Amino acid sequence: MDRSKIKVVKRSEVKPTEKVNKGKMDNPRASAREMVSTVTDWVADFKERKTVETKIAIETLLSANRQPRES
């Protein structure tokens, strides 16, 4: 039976690695601005979708309750 060995690495043994810059993420302000913009877009999309769904539900409800008038 083949058993793989597990090596325990202590924090003091870990070598520090260099941080990798990701192009757009150089400036913290730009990064924060991009995140805020993304979340703002999500919220706007969510509100718009909710509004459309509510409008359709109300129209469906009102049209289902309508009965033809008798003369």
Side-chain angles (χ1 to χ4, degrees):
M1 182 183 218
D2 231 4
R3 297 180 82 181
S4 59
K5 294 181 180 180
I6 298 175
K7 181 179 179 183
V8 177
V9 180
K10 296 181 181 177
R11 289 185 188 187
S12 60
E13 296 175 357
V14 176
K15 296 177 184 176
T17 58
E18 291 184 30
K19 293 183 179 180
V20 178
N21 288 337
K22 295 182 180 179
K24 289 184 179 179
M25 302 302 172
D26 291 341
N27 186 355
R29 281 189 166 191
S31 175
R33 192 175 308 124
E34 184 178 344
M35 284 188 277
V36 168
S37 175
T38 301
V39 172
T40 303
D41 290 344
W42 290 346
V43 170
D45 289 343
F46 179 74
K47 284 182 178 179
E48 182 180 346
R49 186 174 57 223
K50 243 350 190 181
T51 302
V52 169
E53 289 174 355
T54 303
K55 182 179 176 184
I56 292 171
I58 290 173
E59 288 175 352
T60 303
L61 179 67
L62 292 178
S63 67
N65 289 338
R66 289 186 187 166
Q67 296 178 356
R69 295 184 180 186
E70 295 181 17
S71 300

